[in-house]
Amino acid sequence: MSRVALVTGGSRGIGAAISTALKNAGYKVAANYAGNDEAASAFTKETGIPTYKWNVADYEASKAGIAKVEADLGPIDVVVANAGITRDAPFHKMSPEQWQQVIDTNLTGVFNTVHPVWPGMRERKFGRVIVISSVNGQKGQFAQVNYAATKAGDIGIVRSLAQEGARAGITANAVCPGYIATEMVMAVPEKVRESIIAQIPAGRLGEPEEIARCVAFLASDDAQFINGSTISANGAQFFS
Ligand code: CAA
């Protein structure tokens, strides 16, 4: 029987590559998305992966969306908390709204995504929780006090969940992508982006598939003893 995987923010960017890689590895995949209906239906048309719309910042909506996925595909064995946003601004210009939106989506969104599937994973004695953090959660980043706080928070989440889930056959790990060629990074002003690429020893942005392959490995049976870890995929930009 195929395992079931849920990928939040799974119809675009890194999430789309993760959904596709898991499908290619034999999982039944559900891709959640928040707002871009057009991109979601194009993604489903192209890949055959069903998409489900809800806002990960909303606990009740997450619970209801996850219940629908489980009714359609079966109990979720692998959850990839990938959905994330940026609201970059130097700290002296960052508004409380910019702070709160990023916390609600990137950090509370992880709680809202994992909490509803956790009891089932405990009962079935198997689960994979994979959270997409960031190099900027490891090293901090100019204009990203909000985002870096959430991505550092992801690491605390998986290290704690790993200890709680280990005896129930559940692993929880984070992947920390560096700068990957997605819309999010392309939205950074070109001059700033060029200066960031100059700091990456690999001399290039990463590809979404390079992150997806890390996730597929962490989801596999081979990764059972990897628990509470952080995989960095950043072209040697930063070591932690
Ligand atoms: N390091 C040092 N200085 C920087 C900087 C950086 N990374 N980015 C901007 N600055 C400088 C600017 O050059 C500017 O300097 P001057 O005043 O001397 O000209 C100053 O900081 C800020 O200027 P402004 O007050 O005009 O800034 P702004 O209000 O217009 O905001 C910005 C601009 C939002 C900070 C913009 O520069 C930006 O988007 N920077 C990139 C931030 C970034 O790296 N975000 C990562 C997005 S990708 C991602 O998050 C994915 C992931 O996980 C890796």
Side-chain angles (χ1 to χ4, degrees):
M1 264 269 287
S2 302
R3 287 191 172 133
V4 175
L6 166 66
V7 183
T8 65
S11 64
R12 292 196 295 139
I14 292 174
I18 294 170
S19 297
T20 305
L22 291 177
K23 184 184 179 208
N24 292 342
Y27 295 83
K28 284 194 272 180
V29 179
N32 149 270
Y33 73 103
N36 191 332
D37 295 317
E38 211 176 303
S41 61
F43 177 74
T44 299
K45 210 164 148 198
E46 191 190 318
T47 62
I49 296 170
T51 48
Y52 294 81
K53 184 175 184 176
W54 73 82
N55 178 0
V56 297
D58 179 335
Y59 185 75
E60 290 307 324
S62 297
K63 235 174 95 171
I66 285 167
K68 171 94 174 81
V69 169
E70 295 201 316
D72 290 351
L73 303 184
I76 292 168
D77 303 296
V78 177
V79 64
V80 185
N82 164 76
I85 59 170
T86 53
R87 295 289 182 266
D88 294 353
F91 187 56
H92 63 282
K93 291 184 181 173
M94 186 174 285
S95 67
E97 291 73 27
Q98 287 173 313
W99 167 260
Q100 200 59 50
Q101 285 171 8
V102 173
I103 297 293
D104 289 348
T105 300
N106 297 15
L107 191 61
T108 307
V110 176
F111 177 87
N112 294 345
T113 299
V114 180
H115 195 255
V117 302
W118 189 255
M121 289 179 170
R122 279 167 48 92
E123 270 167 35
R124 294 187 301 277
K125 300 273 178 277
F126 180 86
R128 292 284 188 266
V129 175
I130 300 155
V131 182
I132 306 305
S133 174
S134 166
V135 65
N136 292 347
Q138 296 171 301
K139 73 170 187 56
Q141 171 59 34
F142 190 102
Q144 284 202 313
V145 164
N146 49 4
Y147 184 89
T150 64
K151 296 298 176 178
D154 288 341
I155 295 170
I157 289 173
V158 299
R159 288 178 180 171
S160 304
L161 286 179
Q163 295 176 51
E164 293 195 24
R167 291 215 183 156
I170 307 171
T171 67
N173 293 287
V175 177
C176 292
Y179 281 73
I180 308 299
T182 61
E183 283 171 44
M184 185 184 272
V185 169
M186 292 311 173
V188 172
E190 195 178 349
K191 246 180 83 186
V192 179
R193 196 169 61 246
E194 294 301 324
S195 74
I196 290 167
I197 294 172
Q199 293 159 31
I200 304 173
R204 64 170 175 91
L205 298 174
E207 294 299 328
E209 292 71 22
E210 293 180 300
I211 304 308
R213 287 194 286 273
C214 299
V215 173
F217 172 64
L218 289 172
S220 71
D221 285 345
D222 286 344
Q224 185 65 45
F225 207 56
I226 302 176
N227 201 358
S229 80
T230 303
I231 295 188
S232 297
N234 63 31
Q237 185 185 359
F238 182 77
F239 308 107
S240 70

